Amino acid sequence: MSRLATSSFDKTVRVWDADNTDYSLRTFTGHSASVMSLDFHPNKEDIICSCDSDGEVRSWSINNGSCLTCVKVFKGGATQMRFQPRKGKYLAAASEKAIYILDGETQHACRSPLQGHAKDIQSVCWDSAGDYLASVSEDAVRIWSFTSGQDGEFVNELNCSGNKFQTCVFHPAHPSLLVIGCYESLELWDIREKNAMTFNNAHDGLIAALAASSATGKVASVSHDRLVKLWK
């Protein structure tokens, strides 16, 4: 069964059958504040994690409908969190100007937070191998390495040239290419070659979110102009 999950300001997490969204398969309650982000564990399809605006991270079992862990991680709320692909060793969660690297099983902090952003972080994403993590604030994108022996080492930074950054995703067909959503435009940054180019007029409003499909090799963008677009 293909599943999708949603989080809400109503403090719940819901899991749905992607082929039949008439009703939710599970509704998880327990968060005391708005649930800001969630992600499925890459290796354990039964596990989903969520974080709220009060700094609490919870993991849930989809099969039995129970809360597995509940950890107060941040003083402030989290904006987004993502499991490390393939490995699931780490869970990266952005809160204000820092990225917290949590243990994928216990959700406890593995190290001191990754810092360096001057403004609040809007989005985080991993490359498909789980070797690099990108973090986006409106004025900068930073890349962190999680290759052998370099867990959380700062690698490079791309500064905004005027069009504020909002969200990011690594291209599914070009592993070193980071796609950055901005106001009306898309920025493409090759993190290895350190080259960047801009696609203007990609949307008529802020690009709020991006998603990548490894099955099709395409990237989807959604904007405040009420459109969803697919890109090669």
Side-chain angles (χ1 to χ4, degrees), residues 123-164:
S123 178
V124 293
C125 69
W126 296 88
D127 74 326
S128 60
D131 291 335
Y132 294 96
L133 176 70
S135 55
V136 173
S137 59
E138 67 176 33
D139 64 335
V141 180
R142 292 173 70 88
I143 304 296
W144 314 85
S145 173
F146 285 79
T147 55
S148 179
Q150 301 184 57
D151 290 354
E153 180 182 16
F154 170 69
V155 176
N156 203 359
E157 182 177 64
L158 177 68
N159 291 309
C160 175
S161 59
N163 205 354
K164 295 179 180 179

Side-chain angles (χ1 to χ4, degrees), residues 74-183:
F74 331 101
K75 292 182 179 179
T79 52
Q80 193 175 48
M81 69 177 194
R82 291 290 181 264
F83 272 109
Q84 184 183 29
R86 298 187 183 181
K87 307 166 187 177
K89 179 180 179 181
Y90 296 125
L91 181 65
S95 178
E96 298 179 343
K97 299 178 179 66
I99 306 108
Y100 291 77
I101 305 301
L102 313 179
D103 183 280
E105 301 298 324
T106 67
Q107 286 75 61
H108 289 286
C110 296
R111 51 154 297 154
S112 58
L114 307 181
Q115 300 191 24
H117 280 279
K119 296 189 176 182
D120 287 355
I121 298 166
Q122 309 287 347
S123 178
V124 293
C125 69
W126 296 88
D127 74 326
S128 60
D131 291 335
Y132 294 96
L133 176 70
S135 55
V136 173
S137 59
E138 67 176 33
D139 64 335
V141 180
R142 292 173 70 88
I143 304 296
W144 314 85
S145 173
F146 285 79
T147 55
S148 179
Q150 301 184 57
D151 290 354
E153 180 182 16
F154 170 69
V155 176
N156 203 359
E157 182 177 64
L158 177 68
N159 291 309
C160 175
S161 59
N163 205 354
K164 295 179 180 179
F165 299 147
Q166 175 67 24
T167 185
C168 65
V169 70
F170 279 93
H171 196 288
H174 306 282
S176 66
L177 188 64
L178 184 68
V179 183
I180 307 163
C182 313
Y183 181 76

